[in-house]
């Protein structure tokens, strides 16, 4: 059967592919350390699981409003006021199947053929694919390691054309862990207003900041009407498998996204919505402190090996510079990542997956024991002595 041109051109998600590869090896009994997917290794907190059980026992197992149960949407509006100073009405919120579906529906609702969307690289793997799947054209603007991967607003300005509709930003950032400073948001807001663009602000790592503060560009003057905030529970509350995210944006856009949702999936799993409602009241500090310890451990280990990196301020990734290890043996980050898996039994994601060559991404959403093991193996690998797995 012929597959449509738009889908044919889409490559599989590299984060998920690398993760799958590692999981298959682990299942086959191979001792691999998994630093691939950005997925907290903690269990979902018990209170949240209990909320789901209570919902099922109470018969809350039917369809809901396609935008989500009103209690959850109201809870999200309270969170947005308390944490971000953003005032939304519950009709401006749509609960989605993770942030991924929020983004897809936003692009579907806003892009016409060949509209351009600016992405800052390195960037998360699915933005580009989702824009293409919706007929848009991603335009890549590189952030520089020398500037801690904070995007250069003048480079963004230069990339704007008559066809530019939107800019996607993501702070704390995947894969670099950078938390953008307030000055960046102010400057970007000016550019968006001047050029009549809207901003898609992916804030899913908001609750995982170890240095600096989260700031939503939607709270800049005149930006709320031209920003759509996306966020979710996967990373903050170890709820990746529950698939609950949301968007908050101008009413017209929220209504359009809800209309798409009507036809696409009716609503997010009802039970998971009740779990997310409870998650709004669950503090994630203990996970955050665990990530902070792991970040320190991995930073020390990488430094000892002599690997270079910009210290991440948030999320749970290191974006490590491996340019000095590329050459005749491993030509690019993909070959190096495959060799790391094969020879050192450490699973990472190549920078090329994030449209940024010369780097690898290590997720420290892994136990301290695994992090130490990975460091030991990488030390041997990078010192040029082939590690022989037993
Ligand atoms: N967002 C996570 C990551 O970057 C999970 C996998 C995915 O959805 O890409 O690893």
């Amino acid at each position: 059967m012929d597959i449509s041109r738009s889908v044919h051109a889409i490559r599989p998600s590299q984060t998920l592919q690398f993760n799958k590869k590692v999981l298959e090896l682990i299942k086959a009994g191979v001792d691999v350390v998994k630093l691939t997917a950005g997925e907290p290794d903690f269990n979902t907190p018990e209170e949240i699981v209990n909320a789901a059980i209570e919902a099922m026992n109470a018969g809350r197992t039917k369809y809901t409003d396609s935008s989500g149960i009103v209690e959850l949407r109201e809870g999200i509006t309270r969170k947005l006021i308390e944490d971000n100073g953003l005032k939304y009405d519950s009709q401006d919120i749509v609960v989605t199947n993770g942030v991924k579906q929020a983004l897809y529906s936003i692009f579907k609702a806003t892009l016409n053929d060949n509209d351009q969307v600016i992405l800052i690289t390195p960037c998360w793997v699915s933005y580009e694919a989702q824009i293409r799947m919706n007929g848009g054209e991603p335009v890549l603007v590189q952030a520089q390691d020398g500037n801690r991967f904070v995007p250069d607003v003048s480079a963004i300005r230069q990339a704007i054309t008559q066809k530019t509709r939107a800019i996607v930003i993501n702070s704390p950032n995947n894969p670099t862990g950078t938390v953008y400073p307030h000055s960046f948001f102010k400057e970007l807001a000016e550019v968006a207003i001047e050029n009549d663009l809207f901003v898609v602000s992916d804030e899913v790592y908001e609750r995982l900041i170890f240095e600096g503060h989260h700031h939503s560009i939607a709270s800049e003057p005149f930006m709320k009407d031209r920003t759509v905030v996306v966020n979710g529970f996967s990373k903050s509350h170890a709820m990746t498998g529950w698939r609950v995210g949301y968007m908050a944006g101008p009413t017209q856009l929220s209504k359009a996204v809800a209309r798409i949702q009507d036809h696409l999936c009716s609503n997010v799993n009802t039970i998971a919505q009740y779990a997310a409602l409870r998650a709004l009241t669950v503090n994630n500090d203990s996970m955050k402190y665990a990530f902070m310890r792991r970040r320190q451990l991995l930073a020390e280990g990488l430094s000892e090996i002599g690997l270079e990196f910009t210290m991440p301020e948030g999320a749970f990734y290191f974006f490590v510079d491996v340019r000095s290890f590329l050459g005749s043996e491993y030509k690019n980050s993909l070959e190096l990542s495959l060799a790391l898996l094969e020879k050192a039994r450490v699973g990472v994601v190549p920078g090329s997956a994030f449209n940024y060559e010369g780097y690898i991404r290590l997720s420290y959403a892994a136990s301290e024991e695994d992090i130490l093991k990975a460091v030991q193996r990488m030390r041997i690998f990078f010192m040029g002595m082939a590690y022989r797995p037993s």
Side-chain angles (χ1 to χ4, degrees):
M1 183 184 288
D2 288 341
I3 300 299
S4 70
R5 273 193 299 279
S6 68
V7 173
H8 200 71
I10 303 302
R11 61 175 181 164
S13 157
Q14 294 291 294
T15 42
L16 297 182
Q17 288 293 306
F18 265 81
N19 202 49
K20 190 170 157 203
K21 206 185 271 282
V22 171
L23 289 173
E24 278 167 6
L25 285 169
I26 293 172
K27 200 165 169 211
V30 182
D31 171 24
V32 180
V33 184
K34 180 166 88 66
L35 305 183
T36 43
E39 175 170 47
D41 54 320
F42 306 108
N43 285 336
T44 304
E46 208 180 330
E47 302 166 70
I48 300 175
V49 174
N50 285 340
I53 296 169
E54 284 160 26
M56 282 189 281
N57 285 333
R60 297 192 179 116
T61 52
K62 306 279 198 274
Y63 289 134
T64 71
D65 186 302
S66 359
S67 297
I69 53 172
V70 74
E71 302 91 310
L72 178 56
R73 284 185 286 130
E74 280 172 355
I76 291 167
T77 62
R78 282 194 294 277
K79 177 256 172 248
L80 287 164
I81 289 195
E82 282 160 23
D83 295 354
N84 314 101
L86 291 169
K87 191 167 169 2
Y88 286 97
D89 193 89
S90 60
Q91 66 168 348
D92 303 331
I93 311 293
V94 184
V95 179
T96 53
N97 285 284
V99 168
K100 232 174 221 180
Q101 192 224 322
L103 289 163
Y104 184 89
S105 299
I106 290 163
F107 295 134
K108 179 104 220 145
T110 54
L111 299 183
N112 289 308
D113 278 355
N114 304 319
D115 278 349
Q116 294 180 338
V117 180
I118 295 179
L119 297 177
I120 318 290
T121 64
C123 65
W124 176 56
V125 295
S126 294
Y127 298 137
E128 184 180 347
Q130 294 202 352
I131 292 165
R132 287 196 196 284
M133 282 193 269
N134 286 296
E137 185 193 334
V139 173
L140 310 180
V141 173
Q142 268 204 355
Q144 304 302 331
D145 198 348
N147 195 30
R148 303 185 49 77
F149 293 109
V150 176
D152 174 2
V153 177
S154 58
I156 295 176
R157 212 183 262 280
Q158 277 169 24
I160 295 172
T161 70
Q162 294 287 338
K163 293 198 271 174
T164 312
R165 289 279 336 265
I167 305 172
V168 177
I169 55 172
N170 170 218
S171 174
N173 187 268
N174 174 8
T176 63
T178 301
V179 175
Y180 297 165
H182 194 174
S183 55
F184 166 76
F185 295 111
K186 276 195 182 151
E187 284 177 47
L188 187 69
E190 270 175 36
V191 173
I193 294 165
E194 264 171 43
N195 294 279
D196 193 20
L197 307 177
F198 72 92
V199 176
V200 179
S201 182
D202 179 350
E203 304 183 11
V204 74
Y205 296 96
E206 171 189 15
R207 290 281 174 92
L208 296 170
I209 293 188
F210 317 117
E211 282 165 56
H213 300 283
H214 181 68
H215 189 81
S216 177
I217 193 166
S219 61
E220 287 301 306
F222 310 110
M223 281 305 289
K224 196 171 150 247
D225 285 347
R226 55 174 72 251
T227 303
V228 49
V229 173
V230 294
N231 205 333
F233 300 86
S234 295
K235 317 291 180 180
S236 56
H237 291 86
M239 289 179 72
T240 46
W242 299 75
R243 310 310 302 138
V244 192
Y246 58 88
M247 61 140 288
T251 311
Q252 212 186 348
L253 175 62
S254 308
K255 282 191 174 155
V257 167
R259 208 159 355 124
I260 294 169
Q261 190 131 299
D262 273 351
H263 294 294
L264 192 66
C265 58
S266 305
N267 60 261
V268 171
N269 178 306
T270 304
I271 300 146
Q273 290 191 56
Y274 282 96
L277 178 61
R278 184 70 57 87
L280 282 170
T281 62
V282 173
N283 182 310
N284 77 331
D285 280 355
S286 62
M287 292 190 224
K288 183 172 147 179
Y289 295 135
F291 284 128
M292 272 175 98
R293 284 194 301 277
R294 295 163 179 196
R295 179 182 76 136
Q296 194 54 35
L297 210 58
L298 191 50
E300 284 165 12
L302 294 172
S303 302
E304 272 168 32
I305 300 172
L307 288 167
E308 289 187 15
F309 57 88
T310 295
M311 188 68 169
E313 298 149 318
F316 35 58
Y317 308 109
F318 277 78
F319 203 53
V320 177
D321 184 348
V322 290
R323 283 174 293 180
S324 56
F325 295 92
L326 300 180
S328 51
E329 195 170 5
Y330 310 118
K331 285 185 207 59
N332 50 42
S333 58
L334 174 64
E335 288 186 9
L336 184 85
S337 302
L338 290 171
L340 256 172
L341 183 58
E342 207 175 291
K343 298 186 179 169
R345 297 296 188 215
V346 178
V348 303
V349 182
S352 54
F354 307 96
N355 274 305
Y356 215 87
E357 198 36 88
Y359 289 74
I360 54 174
R361 188 192 78 174
L362 275 54
S363 160
Y364 56 94
S367 68
E368 293 188 16
E369 194 190 336
D370 273 358
I371 289 170
L372 291 173
K373 213 195 259 187
V375 166
Q376 196 190 2
R377 293 177 181 189
M378 286 193 291
R379 181 182 295 126
I380 299 169
F381 178 87
F382 284 110
M383 285 167 68
M385 289 180 274
Y387 168 72
R388 300 257 170 265
S390 47

